[in-house]
């Protein structure tokens, strides 16, 4: 696990990272990706997404990241909110979009920024919001502490800050 820890810090740490994240619902269930991370839990669940590459729009990045992590092809429906995560050595500005599925097959993808022997993506799965709420909140992206229903999630607008231990 320590190898993952150091590679995560080397790859993503000590810099500001602009990320894109997509909320994809099937019926009322939301797609989440289980990532290994640093910190007390060692893993967490978050909507699919990742870093914006230079020369690529946020929307193009999200479509690419979604496919890399989940095997699904999506279309952007709307921009929702900005979420900032700040707990050194990690600092991310995340742009959240609602997306819709238009193709592909759900499968466990990879993180191309991590080596093949240190992949941090461990599961892709649709979760009901009630399942999420029955679990330890610290295992899930902070967005789920801001809204408890699908409607509330899709109606979140504005800027939200999470300093990690908030």
């Amino acid at each position: 696990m320590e190898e993952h820890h150091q590679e995560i810090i080397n790859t993503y740490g000590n810099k500001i990272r602009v990320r894109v994240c997509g909320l994809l619902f099937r019926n009322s269930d939301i797609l989440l990706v289980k990532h290994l991370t640093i910190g007390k839990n060692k893993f967490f669940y978050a909507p699919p997404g990742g870093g914006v590459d230079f020369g690529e729009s946020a929307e193009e990045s999200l479509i690419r990241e979604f496919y890399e992590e989940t095997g699904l092809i999506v279309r952007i429906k709307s921009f929702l909110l900005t979420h900032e995560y700040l707990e050194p050595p990690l600092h991310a500005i995340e742009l959240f979009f609602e997306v819709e599925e238009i193709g592909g097959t759900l499968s466990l993808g990879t993180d191309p920024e991590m080596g093949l022997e240190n992949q941090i993506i461990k599961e892709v799965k649709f979760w009901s919001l009630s399942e999420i709420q029955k679990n330890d909140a610290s295992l899930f992206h902070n967005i789920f502490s801001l809204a408890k229903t699908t409607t509330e999630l899709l109606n979140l607008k504005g800027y939200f800050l999470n300093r990690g231990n908030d």
Side-chain angles (χ1 to χ4, degrees), residues 9-165:
I9 292 172
N10 292 345
T11 303
Y12 303 117
N14 302 304
K15 59 186 169 189
I16 297 173
R17 188 159 182 249
V18 177
R19 297 186 74 250
V20 287
C21 303
L23 302 185
L24 173 66
F25 291 91
R26 277 191 185 163
N27 302 313
S28 59
D29 294 346
I30 188 166
L31 183 61
L32 298 180
V33 176
K34 180 181 181 181
H35 297 268
L36 296 180
T37 189
I38 60 175
K40 67 177 176 121
N41 290 326
K42 305 297 181 203
F43 70 89
F44 77 106
Y45 293 92
V52 176
D53 287 344
F54 180 80
E56 192 176 46
S57 74
E59 290 183 345
E60 290 166 338
S61 294
L62 181 55
I63 290 166
R64 174 185 49 76
E65 287 283 351
F66 222 95
Y67 184 74
E68 288 172 355
E69 291 187 357
T70 71
L72 296 177
I73 301 166
V74 297
R75 173 178 27 233
I76 307 297
K77 288 181 72 176
S78 63
F79 175 71
L80 299 173
L81 64 110
T82 301
H83 178 271
E84 184 170 7
Y85 178 81
L86 179 54
E87 184 175 8
L90 302 179
H91 187 178
I93 308 236
E94 301 172 311
L95 307 174
F96 275 84
F97 294 84
E98 179 185 9
V99 300
E100 64 182 337
E101 182 179 353
I102 59 171
T105 302
L106 184 63
S107 60
L108 180 65
T110 60
D111 185 333
E113 295 169 301
M114 300 296 285
L116 288 177
E117 67 285 351
N118 285 327
Q119 281 298 301
I120 60 173
I121 296 173
K122 296 301 178 184
E123 177 182 59
V124 291
K125 175 185 165 186
F126 280 91
W127 289 74
S128 73
L129 293 177
S130 63
E131 283 179 294
I132 293 169
Q133 292 165 12
K134 289 177 186 172
N135 281 279
D136 180 351
S138 69
L139 297 176
F140 293 86
H141 192 285
N142 185 59
I143 192 171
F144 297 105
S145 69
L146 303 173
K148 302 299 181 209
T149 67
T150 302
T151 301
E152 288 176 359
L153 274 174
L154 294 175
N155 286 322
L156 285 173
K157 303 290 182 232
Y159 164 81
F160 302 89
L161 172 64
N162 177 359
R163 288 195 177 267
N165 292 323

